[in-house]
Coordinates of all heavy atoms in Angstrom, one line a residue:
M1 N 103.5 105.5 108.5 CA 102.2 105.4 107.8 C 102.3 106.1 106.4 O 102.7 107.3 106.4 CB 101.1 106.0 108.6 CG 100.6 105.3 109.8 SD 99.8 103.8 109.4 CE 99.7 103.0 110.9
L2 N 102.0 105.4 105.4 CA 102.0 106.0 104.1 C 100.7 106.9 103.9 O 100.8 108.0 103.5 CB 102.0 104.9 103.0 CG 102.0 105.4 101.6 CD1 103.4 106.1 101.3 CD2 101.9 104.1 100.6
L3 N 99.6 106.3 104.4 CA 98.3 107.0 104.4 C 97.7 106.6 105.8 O 98.1 105.6 106.4 CB 97.4 106.6 103.3 CG 97.9 107.0 101.9 CD1 97.1 106.3 100.8 CD2 97.8 108.5 101.7
P4 N 96.6 107.2 106.2 CA 96.0 106.7 107.4 C 95.6 105.3 107.2 O 95.0 104.9 106.2 CB 94.7 107.6 107.5 CG 95.1 108.9 106.8 CD 96.0 108.4 105.7
Q5 N 95.9 104.4 108.2 CA 95.6 103.0 108.2 C 96.4 102.2 107.1 O 96.0 101.1 106.8 CB 94.1 102.7 108.1 CG 93.3 103.4 109.1 CD 93.6 103.0 110.5 OE1 93.8 101.8 110.8 NE2 93.8 104.0 111.4
V6 N 97.4 102.8 106.5 CA 98.2 102.1 105.5 C 99.7 102.1 105.9 O 100.4 103.1 105.5 CB 98.0 102.7 104.1 CG1 98.9 101.9 103.1 CG2 96.6 102.7 103.7
P7 N 100.1 101.1 106.7 CA 101.5 101.1 107.1 C 102.5 100.8 106.0 O 102.1 100.0 105.1 CB 101.5 100.0 108.2 CG 100.4 99.2 107.9 CD 99.4 100.0 107.2
A8 N 103.6 101.4 106.0 CA 104.6 101.1 105.0 C 106.0 101.2 105.6 O 106.2 101.9 106.6 CB 104.5 102.1 103.8
T9 N 107.0 100.4 105.0 CA 108.4 100.6 105.4 C 109.2 100.8 104.1 O 108.8 100.3 103.1 CB 108.9 99.3 106.2 OG1 108.7 98.2 105.3 CG2 108.1 99.1 107.5
M10 N 110.3 101.5 104.3 CA 111.1 101.8 103.1 C 112.6 101.6 103.5 O 113.0 102.0 104.6 CB 111.0 103.2 102.6 CG 111.8 103.5 101.4 SD 111.6 105.3 100.8 CE 109.9 105.3 100.4
V11 N 113.3 100.9 102.7 CA 114.7 100.6 102.9 C 115.5 100.9 101.7 O 115.2 100.5 100.6 CB 115.0 99.1 103.3 CG1 116.4 98.8 103.5 CG2 114.2 98.7 104.5
R12 N 116.6 101.7 101.8 CA 117.5 102.0 100.8 C 118.8 101.4 101.1 O 119.3 101.5 102.2 CB 117.7 103.5 100.6 CG 118.5 104.0 99.4 CD 119.8 104.5 99.9 NE 120.7 104.9 98.8 CZ 121.9 104.4 98.5 NH1 122.4 103.4 99.3 NH2 122.6 104.8 97.5
E13 N 119.4 100.7 100.1 CA 120.7 100.1 100.3 C 121.5 100.0 99.0 O 120.9 100.3 97.9 CB 120.6 98.7 100.8 CG 119.7 97.7 100.0 CD 119.3 96.5 100.7 OE1 119.5 96.4 101.9 OE2 118.8 95.6 100.0
D14 N 122.8 99.8 99.1 CA 123.6 99.7 97.9 C 123.4 98.3 97.2 O 123.0 97.4 97.9 CB 125.1 99.8 98.2 CG 125.5 101.2 98.8 OD1 124.8 102.2 98.4 OD2 126.5 101.3 99.5
A15 N 123.5 98.3 95.9 CA 123.4 97.0 95.2 C 124.7 96.9 94.4 O 125.3 97.9 93.9 CB 122.2 97.1 94.3
W16 N 125.1 95.6 94.1 CA 126.3 95.4 93.4 C 126.0 94.3 92.3 O 125.2 93.4 92.5 CB 127.4 94.9 94.3 CG 127.7 95.8 95.4 CD1 127.1 95.8 96.6 CD2 128.6 96.9 95.4 NE1 127.6 96.9 97.4 CE2 128.5 97.6 96.6 CE3 129.5 97.4 94.4 CZ2 129.3 98.7 96.9 CZ3 130.2 98.5 94.7 CH2 130.2 99.1 95.9
Q17 N 126.7 94.5 91.1 CA 126.6 93.5 90.1 C 127.9 93.5 89.2 O 128.6 94.5 89.3 CB 125.4 93.8 89.2 CG 125.5 95.0 88.2 CD 124.4 95.1 87.2 OE1 123.4 94.5 87.4 NE2 124.5 96.0 86.3
A18 N 128.0 92.5 88.4 CA 129.2 92.4 87.6 C 129.1 93.5 86.5 O 128.0 93.8 86.0 CB 129.3 91.1 86.9
N19 N 130.1 94.2 86.2 CA 130.1 95.2 85.2 C 130.0 94.6 83.8 O 130.7 93.7 83.4 CB 131.5 96.0 85.2 CG 131.5 97.2 84.2 OD1 131.1 97.0 83.1 ND2 132.0 98.3 84.7
P20 N 128.9 95.0 83.0 CA 128.7 94.3 81.7 C 129.9 94.4 80.7 O 130.1 93.5 79.9 CB 127.5 95.0 81.2 CG 126.8 95.7 82.3 CD 127.9 95.9 83.3
Q21 N 130.6 95.5 80.8 CA 131.8 95.7 79.9 C 133.0 94.9 80.4 O 133.9 94.6 79.6 CB 132.1 97.2 79.8 CG 131.2 98.0 78.9 CD 129.9 98.4 79.7 OE1 130.0 98.6 80.9 NE2 128.8 98.4 79.0
D22 N 133.1 94.7 81.7 CA 134.3 94.0 82.2 C 133.8 93.1 83.4 O 133.8 93.6 84.6 CB 135.3 95.0 82.7 CG 136.6 94.3 83.2 OD1 136.6 93.1 83.2 OD2 137.5 95.0 83.6
P23 N 133.4 91.9 83.2 CA 132.8 91.0 84.2 C 133.8 90.8 85.4 O 133.3 90.3 86.4 CB 132.5 89.7 83.5 CG 132.4 90.1 82.1 CD 133.3 91.2 81.9
S24 N 135.1 91.1 85.2 CA 136.0 90.9 86.4 C 135.8 92.1 87.4 O 136.4 92.0 88.5 CB 137.4 90.8 85.9 OG 137.8 92.0 85.3
Q25 N 135.1 93.1 87.0 CA 134.9 94.3 87.9 C 133.4 94.3 88.3 O 132.5 93.8 87.6 CB 135.2 95.6 87.1 CG 136.6 95.7 86.6 CD 137.6 95.8 87.8 OE1 137.4 96.5 88.7 NE2 138.7 95.0 87.7
I26 N 133.1 94.9 89.5 CA 131.8 95.1 89.9 C 131.4 96.6 89.8 O 132.3 97.4 89.9 CB 131.5 94.5 91.3 CG1 132.4 95.2 92.4 CG2 131.7 93.0 91.3 CD1 132.1 94.8 93.8
E27 N 130.1 96.8 89.7 CA 129.6 98.2 89.7 C 128.6 98.3 90.8 O 127.9 97.4 91.1 CB 129.1 98.6 88.4 CG 127.9 97.8 87.9 CD 127.5 98.3 86.5 OE1 128.1 99.2 85.9 OE2 126.5 97.8 86.0
K28 N 128.5 99.6 91.3 CA 127.6 99.9 92.4 C 126.3 100.5 91.8 O 126.4 101.3 90.9 CB 128.3 100.9 93.4 CG 127.5 101.3 94.5 CD 128.2 102.2 95.4 CE 127.4 102.7 96.6 NZ 128.1 103.7 97.4
G29 N 125.2 100.1 92.4 CA 123.9 100.7 92.1 C 123.2 101.0 93.4 O 123.7 101.0 94.5
T30 N 121.9 101.2 93.2 CA 121.0 101.5 94.4 C 119.8 100.6 94.3 O 119.2 100.3 93.3 CB 120.6 103.0 94.3 OG1 121.7 103.8 94.3 CG2 119.7 103.3 95.5
R31 N 119.4 100.2 95.5 CA 118.2 99.4 95.7 C 117.3 100.0 96.7 O 117.7 100.4 97.8 CB 118.5 98.0 96.1 CG 117.4 97.0 96.3 CD 117.9 95.6 96.7 NE 116.8 94.7 96.8 CZ 116.2 94.3 97.9 NH1 116.6 94.8 99.1 NH2 115.2 93.5 97.9
I32 N 116.0 100.2 96.4 CA 115.0 100.7 97.3 C 113.9 99.7 97.4 O 113.4 99.3 96.3 CB 114.5 102.1 96.9 CG1 115.6 103.1 96.9 CG2 113.3 102.5 97.8 CD1 115.3 104.5 96.4
A33 N 113.5 99.3 98.6 CA 112.4 98.4 98.8 C 111.3 99.1 99.6 O 111.7 99.7 100.7 CB 112.9 97.1 99.5
V34 N 110.1 99.0 99.2 CA 109.0 99.6 99.9 C 108.0 98.5 100.1 O 107.5 97.9 99.2 CB 108.3 100.8 99.1 CG1 107.2 101.3 99.9 CG2 109.3 101.9 98.8
A35 N 107.6 98.3 101.4 CA 106.6 97.3 101.8 C 105.4 98.0 102.2 O 105.5 98.9 103.1 CB 107.1 96.3 102.8
I36 N 104.2 97.7 101.6 CA 103.0 98.3 101.9 C 101.9 97.3 102.2 O 101.8 96.3 101.5 CB 102.5 99.2 100.7 CG1 103.6 100.2 100.3 CG2 101.2 99.9 101.1 CD1 103.3 100.8 98.9
T37 N 101.2 97.5 103.3 CA 100.1 96.6 103.5 C 98.8 97.3 103.2 O 98.4 98.3 103.8 CB 100.0 96.1 105.0 OG1 101.3 95.5 105.3 CG2 98.9 95.2 105.3
L38 N 98.1 96.8 102.1 CA 96.9 97.4 101.7 C 95.7 96.5 102.1 O 95.7 95.3 102.1 CB 96.8 97.5 100.1 CG 97.9 98.4 99.6 CD1 98.0 98.3 98.0 CD2 97.7 99.8 100.0
P39 N 94.6 97.2 102.6 CA 93.5 96.4 103.2 C 92.9 95.4 102.2 O 92.6 94.3 102.7 CB 92.4 97.5 103.4 CG 93.2 98.8 103.5 CD 94.4 98.6 102.6
N40 N 92.8 95.6 100.9 CA 92.1 94.7 100.0 C 93.1 93.7 99.3 O 92.7 92.7 98.8 CB 91.3 95.4 99.0 CG 90.1 96.1 99.6 OD1 89.6 95.7 100.6 ND2 89.7 97.2 99.0
L41 N 94.4 94.1 99.3 CA 95.4 93.3 98.5 C 96.4 92.6 99.4 O 97.0 91.7 99.0 CB 96.1 94.2 97.5 CG 95.3 94.8 96.4 CD1 96.1 95.7 95.6 CD2 94.6 93.8 95.6
G42 N 96.5 93.0 100.6 CA 97.5 92.4 101.5 C 98.9 93.1 101.4 O 99.0 94.3 101.0
M43 N 99.9 92.4 101.8 CA 101.3 92.9 101.7 C 101.8 93.0 100.3 O 101.8 92.0 99.6 CB 102.2 92.1 102.6 CG 103.7 92.4 102.5 SD 104.1 94.0 103.1 CE 104.6 93.5 104.8
I44 N 102.3 94.1 99.9 CA 102.9 94.3 98.6 C 104.3 94.9 98.8 O 104.4 95.8 99.6 CB 102.1 95.3 97.7 CG1 100.7 94.7 97.4 CG2 102.8 95.6 96.4 CD1 99.8 95.6 96.6
Q45 N 105.3 94.3 98.1 CA 106.6 94.9 98.2 C 107.0 95.3 96.8 O 107.0 94.5 95.9 CB 107.6 93.9 98.8 CG 108.9 94.4 99.0 CD 109.8 93.6 100.0 OE1 109.3 92.9 100.8 NE2 111.1 93.8 99.8
V46 N 107.5 96.6 96.7 CA 108.0 97.1 95.5 C 109.5 97.3 95.7 O 110.0 98.0 96.6 CB 107.3 98.4 95.1 CG1 107.9 99.0 93.8 CG2 105.8 98.3 95.1
I47 N 110.3 96.6 94.8 CA 111.7 96.7 94.9 C 112.3 97.3 93.6 O 112.1 96.7 92.5 CB 112.3 95.3 95.1 CG1 111.7 94.6 96.4 CG2 113.9 95.3 95.2 CD1 112.0 93.2 96.5
G48 N 112.9 98.4 93.7 CA 113.5 99.1 92.5 C 115.0 99.0 92.6 O 115.6 99.3 93.7
T49 N 115.7 98.5 91.6 CA 117.1 98.4 91.6 C 117.6 99.2 90.3 O 117.2 98.9 89.2 CB 117.6 97.0 91.5 OG1 117.0 96.2 92.6 CG2 119.1 96.9 91.6
Q50 N 118.6 100.1 90.5 CA 119.1 100.9 89.4 C 120.6 100.8 89.3 O 121.3 100.9 90.3 CB 118.7 102.4 89.6 CG 119.2 103.2 88.4 CD 118.8 104.7 88.5 OE1 118.1 105.1 89.4 NE2 119.3 105.5 87.6
F51 N 121.1 100.5 88.1 CA 122.5 100.5 87.7 C 122.6 101.4 86.5 O 121.9 101.1 85.5 CB 123.0 99.1 87.4 CG 123.1 98.2 88.6 CD1 122.1 97.3 88.9 CD2 124.2 98.3 89.4 CE1 122.2 96.5 90.0 CE2 124.3 97.5 90.5 CZ 123.3 96.6 90.8
R52 N 123.4 102.4 86.5 CA 123.5 103.4 85.5 C 122.1 103.8 85.0 O 121.4 104.4 85.8 CB 124.4 102.8 84.3 CG 125.8 102.6 84.7 CD 126.6 101.9 83.6 NE 126.4 100.4 83.8 CZ 125.7 99.7 82.9 NH1 125.2 100.2 81.8 NH2 125.5 98.4 83.2
D53 N 121.8 103.6 83.7 CA 120.5 104.1 83.2 C 119.5 102.9 83.1 O 118.6 103.0 82.3 CB 120.7 104.8 81.9 CG 121.3 103.9 80.8 OD1 121.8 102.8 81.2 OD2 121.4 104.3 79.7
Q54 N 119.7 101.9 83.8 CA 118.7 100.8 83.8 C 118.0 100.6 85.2 O 118.7 100.6 86.2 CB 119.5 99.5 83.6 CG 120.3 99.4 82.3 CD 119.5 98.8 81.2 OE1 118.8 97.8 81.4 NE2 119.5 99.4 80.0
L55 N 116.7 100.5 85.1 CA 115.9 100.4 86.3 C 115.1 99.1 86.2 O 114.4 98.9 85.2 CB 115.0 101.6 86.5 CG 114.0 101.6 87.6 CD1 114.7 101.5 89.0 CD2 113.0 102.7 87.5
Q56 N 115.2 98.3 87.2 CA 114.4 97.0 87.3 C 113.5 97.2 88.5 O 113.9 97.6 89.6 CB 115.3 95.8 87.6 CG 116.3 95.5 86.5 CD 115.6 95.0 85.3 OE1 114.6 94.2 85.4 NE2 116.1 95.3 84.1
V57 N 112.2 97.0 88.3 CA 111.2 97.1 89.3 C 110.5 95.8 89.5 O 109.9 95.3 88.5 CB 110.2 98.2 89.0 CG1 109.1 98.3 90.1 CG2 110.8 99.6 88.9
A58 N 110.5 95.2 90.7 CA 109.8 94.0 90.9 C 108.7 94.3 91.9 O 109.0 94.9 93.0 CB 110.8 92.9 91.5
I59 N 107.5 93.9 91.6 CA 106.4 94.1 92.5 C 106.0 92.7 93.0 O 105.5 91.9 92.2 CB 105.2 94.8 91.8 CG1 105.7 96.2 91.2 CG2 104.0 95.0 92.8 CD1 104.7 96.8 90.3
E60 N 106.2 92.5 94.3 CA 105.8 91.2 94.9 C 104.5 91.3 95.6 O 104.3 92.2 96.4 CB 106.9 90.8 95.9 CG 108.3 90.5 95.2 CD 109.3 90.2 96.2 OE1 109.1 90.2 97.5 OE2 110.5 89.9 95.8
V61 N 103.6 90.4 95.1 CA 102.2 90.5 95.7 C 101.8 89.1 96.0 O 102.3 88.1 95.5 CB 101.2 91.1 94.6 CG1 101.6 92.5 94.3 CG2 101.2 90.2 93.4
P62 N 100.8 88.9 97.0 CA 100.2 87.6 97.2 C 99.6 87.1 96.0 O 99.1 87.8 95.1 CB 99.2 87.9 98.3 CG 99.5 89.2 98.9 CD 100.2 90.0 97.8
E63 N 99.7 85.8 95.8 CA 99.2 85.1 94.6 C 97.7 85.5 94.4 O 97.2 85.6 93.3 CB 99.3 83.6 94.7 CG 99.0 82.9 93.4 CD 99.4 81.4 93.4 OE1 100.3 81.0 94.2 OE2 98.8 80.7 92.7
T64 N 96.9 85.6 95.5 CA 95.5 85.9 95.4 C 95.3 87.3 94.8 O 94.2 87.6 94.3 CB 94.8 85.8 96.7 OG1 95.5 86.7 97.7 CG2 94.9 84.4 97.2
S65 N 96.2 88.2 94.8 CA 96.1 89.6 94.4 C 96.7 89.8 93.0 O 96.6 90.9 92.4 CB 96.7 90.6 95.4 OG 96.1 90.5 96.6
K66 N 97.5 88.8 92.5 CA 98.2 89.0 91.3 C 97.3 89.3 90.1 O 97.6 90.2 89.3 CB 99.1 87.7 91.0 CG 100.1 87.9 89.9 CD 101.0 86.7 89.9 CE 102.1 86.9 88.9 NZ 103.0 85.8 88.8
F67 N 96.2 88.7 89.9 CA 95.3 88.9 88.8 C 94.8 90.3 88.8 O 94.8 90.9 87.7 CB 94.1 87.9 88.8 CG 93.2 88.1 87.7 CD1 93.5 87.7 86.4 CD2 92.0 88.8 87.9 CE1 92.6 87.9 85.4 CE2 91.1 89.0 86.9 CZ 91.4 88.5 85.6
E68 N 94.5 90.8 90.0 CA 94.0 92.2 90.0 C 95.0 93.3 89.6 O 94.6 94.3 89.0 CB 93.5 92.5 91.5 CG 92.4 91.7 91.9 CD 92.0 92.0 93.4 OE1 91.9 93.2 93.8 OE2 91.8 91.0 94.1
L69 N 96.2 93.0 89.8 CA 97.3 94.0 89.4 C 97.9 93.7 88.1 O 98.4 94.6 87.5 CB 98.4 93.9 90.5 CG 98.0 94.4 91.9 CD1 99.2 94.2 92.8 CD2 97.6 95.8 91.9
Q70 N 97.7 92.5 87.5 CA 98.3 92.2 86.2 C 97.9 93.1 85.1 O 98.7 93.6 84.3 CB 98.0 90.7 85.8 CG 98.7 90.3 84.6 CD 100.2 90.1 84.8 OE1 100.7 89.6 85.8 NE2 101.0 90.7 83.9
S71 N 96.6 93.5 85.1 CA 96.1 94.3 84.1 C 96.6 95.8 84.2 O 96.5 96.5 83.2 CB 94.5 94.4 84.1 OG 94.1 94.9 85.4
Q72 N 97.1 96.2 85.3 CA 97.6 97.5 85.5 C 99.1 97.7 85.2 O 99.6 98.8 85.1 CB 97.4 97.9 87.0 CG 96.0 97.8 87.5 CD 95.1 98.8 86.7 OE1 95.4 99.9 86.4 NE2 93.9 98.3 86.2
I73 N 99.8 96.6 85.0 CA 101.3 96.6 84.8 C 101.6 97.4 83.5 O 102.5 98.2 83.5 CB 101.9 95.2 84.8 CG1 101.8 94.6 86.2 CG2 103.3 95.2 84.3 CD1 102.6 95.4 87.2
E74 N 100.9 97.1 82.4 CA 101.1 97.8 81.2 C 101.0 99.3 81.3 O 101.8 100.1 80.8 CB 100.2 97.3 80.1 CG 100.6 97.9 78.7 CD 99.7 97.3 77.6 OE1 99.3 96.1 77.7 OE2 99.5 98.0 76.6
Q75 N 99.9 99.8 82.0 CA 99.7 101.2 82.2 C 100.8 101.8 83.1 O 101.3 102.9 82.8 CB 98.3 101.5 82.7 CG 98.0 103.0 82.8 CD 98.0 103.7 81.5 OE1 97.4 103.2 80.5 NE2 98.7 104.8 81.3
L76 N 101.2 101.0 84.1 CA 102.3 101.5 85.0 C 103.6 101.7 84.2 O 104.3 102.6 84.3 CB 102.5 100.5 86.1 CG 103.6 100.8 87.1 CD1 103.3 102.2 87.8 CD2 103.7 99.7 88.2
Q77 N 103.9 100.7 83.3 CA 105.1 100.8 82.4 C 105.0 102.1 81.6 O 106.0 102.8 81.4 CB 105.2 99.6 81.5 CG 106.4 99.5 80.7 CD 107.6 98.9 81.5 OE1 107.4 97.9 82.2 NE2 108.7 99.5 81.3
I78 N 103.9 102.4 81.0 CA 103.7 103.6 80.2 C 103.9 104.8 81.0 O 104.6 105.8 80.6 CB 102.3 103.6 79.5 CG1 102.2 102.5 78.4 CG2 102.0 105.0 78.9 CD1 100.8 102.2 77.9
N79 N 103.3 104.9 82.2 CA 103.4 106.1 83.0 C 104.9 106.3 83.5 O 105.4 107.4 83.6 CB 102.5 105.9 84.3 CG 101.1 106.0 83.9 OD1 100.7 106.4 82.8 ND2 100.2 105.6 84.9
L80 N 105.5 105.2 83.8 CA 106.9 105.2 84.3 C 107.8 105.8 83.1 O 108.7 106.6 83.4 CB 107.4 103.9 84.7 CG 108.7 103.8 85.5 CD1 108.6 104.7 86.8 CD2 109.0 102.4 85.9
K81 N 107.6 105.3 81.9 CA 108.4 105.8 80.8 C 108.2 107.3 80.6 O 109.1 108.0 80.2 CB 108.1 105.0 79.5 CG 108.7 103.7 79.5 CD 108.5 103.0 78.1 CE 109.0 101.6 78.1 NZ 110.4 101.5 78.2
E82 N 107.0 107.8 80.8 CA 106.7 109.2 80.7 C 107.4 110.1 81.8 O 107.8 111.2 81.5 CB 105.2 109.5 80.7 CG 104.5 109.0 79.5 CD 103.0 109.1 79.7 OE1 102.5 109.5 80.7 OE2 102.3 108.7 78.7
Q83 N 107.6 109.5 83.0 CA 108.1 110.3 84.1 C 109.5 110.1 84.4 O 110.2 110.9 85.0 CB 107.2 109.9 85.3 CG 105.8 110.0 85.1 CD 105.1 111.0 86.0 OE1 105.7 111.4 87.0 NE2 103.8 111.2 85.7
V84 N 110.1 108.9 84.0 CA 111.5 108.6 84.4 C 112.3 108.5 83.1 O 112.0 107.7 82.3 CB 111.5 107.3 85.2 CG1 113.0 106.9 85.6 CG2 110.7 107.4 86.4
P85 N 113.4 109.3 83.0 CA 114.1 109.3 81.7 C 115.1 108.2 81.6 O 116.2 108.4 81.0 CB 114.8 110.7 81.8 CG 115.0 110.9 83.2 CD 113.8 110.3 83.9
I86 N 114.8 107.0 82.1 CA 115.8 105.9 81.9 C 115.0 104.7 81.5 O 113.7 104.7 81.6 CB 116.6 105.6 83.2 CG1 115.6 105.2 84.4 CG2 117.4 106.8 83.6 CD1 116.3 104.8 85.6
D87 N 115.7 103.7 81.0 CA 115.0 102.4 80.6 C 114.5 101.7 81.9 O 115.3 101.4 82.8 CB 116.0 101.6 79.9 CG 115.4 100.3 79.3 OD1 114.2 100.3 79.1 OD2 116.2 99.3 79.1
A88 N 113.2 101.3 81.9 CA 112.7 100.7 83.1 C 112.0 99.4 82.7 O 111.3 99.3 81.7 CB 111.7 101.6 83.8
N89 N 112.1 98.4 83.5 CA 111.5 97.1 83.3 C 110.7 96.8 84.6 O 111.3 96.8 85.7 CB 112.6 96.0 83.0 CG 111.9 94.6 82.8 OD1 110.8 94.5 82.4 ND2 112.7 93.6 83.2
I90 N 109.4 96.4 84.4 CA 108.6 96.1 85.6 C 108.1 94.7 85.5 O 107.7 94.2 84.5 CB 107.4 97.1 85.6 CG1 107.8 98.5 85.7 CG2 106.5 96.7 86.8 CD1 106.6 99.5 85.6
Q91 N 108.3 94.0 86.6 CA 107.8 92.6 86.7 C 106.9 92.4 87.9 O 107.2 93.0 89.0 CB 109.0 91.6 86.9 CG 110.0 91.7 85.7 CD 111.2 90.8 86.0 OE1 111.5 90.5 87.1 NE2 111.8 90.4 84.9
L92 N 105.9 91.6 87.7 CA 105.0 91.3 88.8 C 105.3 89.9 89.3 O 105.4 88.9 88.4 CB 103.5 91.3 88.3 CG 102.4 91.3 89.3 CD1 102.5 92.4 90.3 CD2 101.1 91.3 88.7
K93 N 105.6 89.7 90.6 CA 106.1 88.4 91.1 C 105.2 88.0 92.3 O 104.6 88.8 93.0 CB 107.5 88.5 91.6 CG 108.5 88.8 90.5 CD 109.9 88.9 91.0 CE 110.9 89.1 89.9 NZ 112.3 89.1 90.5
D94 N 105.1 86.7 92.5 CA 104.5 86.2 93.7 C 105.3 86.5 94.9 O 106.6 86.5 94.8 CB 104.3 84.7 93.6 CG 103.3 84.3 92.6 OD1 102.4 85.1 92.2 OD2 103.4 83.1 92.1
T95 N 104.7 86.8 96.0 CA 105.4 87.0 97.3 C 106.1 85.7 97.6 O 105.6 84.6 97.6 CB 104.4 87.4 98.4 OG1 103.7 88.6 98.0 CG2 105.1 87.6 99.7
P96 N 107.4 85.8 98.0 CA 108.2 84.6 98.4 C 107.6 84.0 99.6 O 107.1 84.8 100.5 CB 109.6 85.1 98.7 CG 109.7 86.4 98.0 CD 108.3 87.0 97.9
R97 N 107.5 82.7 99.7 CA 106.9 82.1 100.9 C 108.1 81.9 101.9 O 109.2 81.6 101.5 CB 106.3 80.7 100.5 CG 105.2 80.9 99.6 CD 104.6 79.6 99.1 NE 103.8 79.8 98.0 CZ 102.5 79.5 97.9 NH1 101.9 78.9 99.0 NH2 101.8 79.7 96.8
G98 N 107.7 81.9 103.1 CA 108.7 81.7 104.1 C 108.5 82.3 105.4 O 107.7 82.9 105.9

């Protein structure tokens, strides 16, 4: 439980990508995924992937909740830049169907 009545799961795993300086080599990074079920928004998954000083954050939300969160992404980007000393990119995505 993240909070009372707010279940969450967190998974940390290694991530791999081609090295930008030498595409014949791969580099290791880190991926953290947090899935949270919020009473008013439904299931939200936040996936952060870091390679060196680059951070990619994808927030997957149900299509019905995307509008409510879209207006908050810019402020989240500002807050993240103030708190994390690396280049961060945040994207809001629809939850994959399946």
